[in-house]
Amino acid sequence: MSKTIKILGTGCPKCQTMTSLVKDVVTENNIDATIEKVEDIMEIMKFNVMTTPALVIDDVITIKGRIPSKDEVLKLLN
């Protein structure tokens, strides 16, 4: 079953780092996932997130306000 991953962030360097890190983990581990970058502040507010970047997996906020390690992302996706 495919996972839906959303990266919430307005395009700041940290948000870009998180986006490429998540893409790397998905690619390197052949994870079936859709990655969506959410930059619209109104959309981000719907998740009630005040600190970005934030990682949302299947509509659950898993990480916010920091950049995770690849291992951490992989654990969240498994």
Side-chain angles (χ1 to χ4, degrees), residues 48-67:
N48 213 8
V49 169
M50 294 299 149
T51 50
T52 57
L55 182 64
V56 180
I57 299 171
D58 295 333
D59 290 327
V60 177
I61 298 165
T62 55
I63 292 169
K64 52 184 171 183
R66 64 185 177 82
I67 297 168

Side-chain angles (χ1 to χ4, degrees), residues 7 15-26 70:
I7 296 153
C15 303
Q16 291 165 355
T17 302
M18 186 191 260
T19 304
S20 56
L21 186 132
V22 171
K23 282 181 179 167
D24 287 351
V25 170
V26 168
K70 281 187 170 184

Side-chain angles (χ1 to χ4, degrees), residues 6-40:
K6 291 184 182 175
I7 296 153
L8 312 182
T10 51
C12 65
K14 274 187 180 174
C15 303
Q16 291 165 355
T17 302
M18 186 191 260
T19 304
S20 56
L21 186 132
V22 171
K23 282 181 179 167
D24 287 351
V25 170
V26 168
T27 306
E28 288 165 13
N29 298 282
N30 277 333
I31 294 168
D32 183 11
T34 311
I35 301 172
E36 184 185 332
K37 183 95 173 56
V38 180
E39 293 188 355
D40 179 354

